[in-house]
Amino acid sequence: MSKGAIFIILLFIFIVALIIYFFIDKRKYEKSSYKKETNKSYSQVRFDKGFNGEYLTFEKLGELGGYSKKLANVYIPKEDGTTTEIDLIFIHQTGIYVIESKNYSGWIFGDEKDRFWTQTFKNGTKEKFYNPIWQNNSHIKYLKELLKHKGYNIKNENYSSIIVFSERCTLKKIQTYSNNVYVVKREELVDIMKNIMNGLNQVISPEEIINIYNTLKPYTNVSEELKREHIDNVMEYKQR
């Protein structure tokens, strides 16, 4: 058999395997809780790095015990009429966990006190990105204000900020100082959250969890116009 024929056969096998992989992967996604919660299409999530990271983290949260509810892409209003978008909110008997998903690769360097963190690639290229702890602090600030306005009395210590990075990156040097702030890789998320929750008392009843979920759910069903306005506001802020 010629080399050309062997190449064609191997190429055919590769294409068939790829089709089978995507078929299985799509079926898995269609049955996921993230699909049920967000109604995003498979192609939206599979080919968008940010959404794919959220999806993987959202599904990881389902491995945790205790009564809970999860939300994704929650657009919380701010006093100036703009919004802040929270990637994931995990409402659990032990508190409210606000999650910022960073589906990055490379080496990650960051200090809670610094405005910008650094992503370094193997070729030596470096990119700066806004401190995700500060970013999530802002999310939590406006979430607290909204829930307080809606009549919920959740104590400050019952909110946790969790920054979740991809398995594809290495957290090379990360410094945190505040209580209830965690920077983790997705593969560590379940174990670390179990450790956080271990020994904590129930501070939110199942009924209140449902009520908070129902209060926040409308803020996930926003128009495409509002989403575009949010992105424009974020881009404008980054250029300042």
Side-chain angles (χ1 to χ4, degrees):
M1 186 179 294
S2 68
K3 290 183 179 180
I6 293 173
F7 174 77
I8 291 173
I9 292 172
L10 291 176
L11 181 61
F12 175 77
I13 292 172
F14 173 77
I15 292 172
V16 170
L18 194 62
I19 292 171
I20 293 172
Y21 166 79
F22 276 107
F23 177 75
I24 294 172
D25 193 49
K26 185 173 186 294
R27 285 192 64 185
K28 179 182 177 182
Y29 175 73
E30 294 297 337
K31 294 179 180 180
S32 70
S33 57
Y34 184 83
K35 164 67 175 177
K36 182 179 179 181
E37 178 63 32
T38 67
N39 203 33
K40 287 184 172 68
S41 68
Y42 174 74
S43 59
Q44 273 183 291
V45 173
R46 187 66 181 82
F47 301 107
D48 184 288
K49 184 172 66 174
F51 287 152
N52 192 55
E54 289 176 8
Y55 156 58
L56 295 173
T57 300
F58 196 91
E59 294 306 297
K60 280 283 187 184
L61 294 171
E63 299 176 23
L64 295 166
Y67 191 78
S68 64
K69 287 284 188 180
K70 300 175 287 185
L71 297 117
N73 308 126
V74 188
Y75 290 80
I76 303 295
K78 298 161 66 174
E79 69 272 5
D80 62 0
T82 62
T83 57
T84 188
E85 183 191 2
I86 300 176
D87 289 337
L88 303 170
I89 300 177
F90 185 62
I91 313 164
H92 189 265
Q93 291 170 304
T94 57
I96 295 179
Y97 301 84
V98 181
I99 299 172
E100 176 66 21
S101 175
K102 297 295 183 188
N103 204 25
Y104 291 180
S105 59
W107 288 359
I108 307 298
F109 298 84
D111 189 298
E112 184 178 343
K113 296 178 181 178
D114 294 337
R115 181 177 179 84
F116 293 101
W117 288 16
T118 304
Q119 179 185 21
T120 303
F121 300 96
K122 288 183 179 180
N123 62 6
T125 304
K126 296 182 179 181
E127 291 187 8
K128 298 288 186 180
F129 61 100
Y130 186 65
N131 184 333
I133 295 176
W134 291 16
Q135 185 180 8
N136 220 28
N137 286 345
S138 178
H139 294 161
I140 292 171
K141 173 181 182 292
Y142 292 109
L143 176 61
K144 286 178 180 178
E145 290 179 359
L146 175 63
L147 291 180
K148 184 176 180 181
H149 177 72
K150 297 291 185 178
Y152 298 99
N153 184 29
I154 309 297
K155 296 180 180 179
N156 289 338
E157 60 263 31
N158 297 138
Y159 287 88
S160 292
S161 173
I162 303 179
I163 316 301
V164 179
F165 281 90
S166 162
E167 297 93 337
R168 298 178 296 112
C169 78
T170 299
L171 300 181
K172 200 67 176 176
K173 188 178 180 182
I174 305 294
Q175 294 290 335
T176 62
Y177 310 97
S178 301
N179 294 327
N180 291 1
V181 171
Y182 308 89
V183 181
V184 306
K185 291 177 66 173
R186 188 160 45 236
E187 60 196 9
E188 308 166 328
L189 178 63
V190 171
D191 288 340
I192 287 175
M193 288 194 68
K194 283 180 179 178
N195 287 336
I196 295 170
M197 296 172 176
N198 186 33
L200 292 179
N201 295 323
Q202 175 179 304
V203 295
I204 309 177
S205 68
E207 181 181 7
E208 192 170 23
I209 289 172
I210 294 171
N211 291 338
I212 293 172
Y213 172 86
N214 289 335
T215 296
L216 296 176
K217 181 61 179 176
Y219 295 94
T220 67
N221 299 322
V222 300
S223 66
E224 291 301 320
E225 181 182 1
L226 191 148
K227 291 178 183 178
R228 286 193 298 270
E229 287 179 1
H230 173 79
I231 292 172
D232 290 343
N233 290 330
V234 170
M235 295 303 295
E236 181 181 344
Y237 179 81
K238 287 182 177 180
Q239 292 171 1
R240 291 176 185 172

